[in-house]
Amino acid sequence: MAQPQGDLLIEPLGSHHDRKGFSCGVDSLDRYLRTQAGQDIRRKAAGVFVLAERTDPGVVLGYYTLSSTGLAQGDVPAAARRHVPRYPLVAATLIGQLAVSQTRQGERLGAVLVADAVRRAWLTASSVGSSMLVVDAINERAAAFYEGNGFVRLPDSQRLVLPMHVIQRLVEP
C-alpha cells in the first residue's frame, strides 16, 4: 500500500487547514469537510485526517475519516468469520469519508490516504477493539478503487471490508 512521500504529510484536521478551498467534485464530500468535519471532531464522532504538502500544509489535497462501527455477524465474509468473535455485532472501524482534491486526482493520493487509514485502524484495533476496516463506497467507481486496494465487497452492496488479520500481513513485516 502507498505511503506518504517525503513531501506529503497526513495529520489530524486543524484550524490551519483551508477547508473552504477544497473541492473534490462530489458536493456531499466537499460539504462534509466544510461544515461537518469540525463538529464531528469536537463531538468525538470521527477522526478527520488531512493530506497536505509539507511546504504548504494549509492546502488540503485530500482527507478521510475514521470512526467505530459494528457489522452484523451475517455480514462478515465467510473467509473472515473464523477471525472474529461470535457476537451479534462485530466491532469494526469505518472509513466514513474519503476524497482527493480535483486538482490532484489521478496521482494515487487516494491510495496514500487508504494506506494511512489502514495503518491507523491497525494501530488502534487492539485498544478500541476492531476486527475489520469497513467502507461504504459512494458509487461503483469508488467500490472498484477500494477493491483495487485489497478490500472485499459484501454481496449485493457497495460495502467493502478489509479484515484485521489481512491488515496484519500488510503492516507487519
Side-chain angles (χ1 to χ4, degrees):
M1 293 203 153
Q3 294 294 323
Q5 312 300 323
D7 58 340
L8 298 174
L9 63 94
I10 298 176
E11 61 185 359
L13 177 65
S15 60
H16 66 285
H17 292 114
D18 177 16
R19 295 185 287 167
K20 293 191 185 330
F22 179 82
S23 176
C24 70
V26 178
D27 185 54
S28 62
L29 294 171
D30 294 342
R31 191 173 51 250
Y32 174 83
L33 184 63
R34 291 182 188 131
T35 64
Q36 187 67 40
Q39 292 176 38
D40 281 358
I41 292 168
R42 284 189 299 281
R43 294 176 178 162
K44 307 288 189 223
V48 182
F49 302 93
V50 172
L51 175 67
E53 290 181 342
R54 290 184 192 280
T55 57
D56 197 359
V59 175
V60 177
L61 303 179
Y63 78 93
Y64 72 89
T65 67
L66 288 179
S67 60
S68 296
T69 192
L71 285 177
Q73 185 68 236
D75 289 342
V76 176
R81 283 195 191 125
R82 66 186 180 104
H83 298 280
V84 299
R86 300 279 185 239
Y87 301 130
L89 280 180
V90 176
T93 303
L94 175 71
I95 299 175
Q97 315 281 332
L98 188 142
V100 173
S101 173
Q102 278 185 306
T103 62
R104 300 296 294 267
Q105 290 177 6
E107 297 180 30
R108 301 233 356 109
L109 297 182
V112 170
L113 290 167
V114 168
D116 193 73
V118 166
R119 184 184 58 80
R120 286 182 201 269
W122 172 253
L123 292 172
T124 61
S126 59
S127 58
V128 175
S130 178
S131 296
M132 61 190 57
L133 188 56
V134 178
V135 65
D136 292 311
I138 196 166
N139 55 36
E140 280 300 318
R141 182 173 169 228
F145 164 77
Y146 286 108
E147 285 177 313
N149 280 281
F151 285 72
V152 176
R153 190 188 299 228
L154 299 182
D156 303 320
S157 77
Q158 288 182 312
R159 176 166 273 191
L160 297 96
V161 300
L162 188 60
M164 285 297 164
H165 74 276
V166 173
I167 292 173
Q168 180 177 12
R169 292 192 299 253
L170 296 173
V171 299
E172 291 185 351

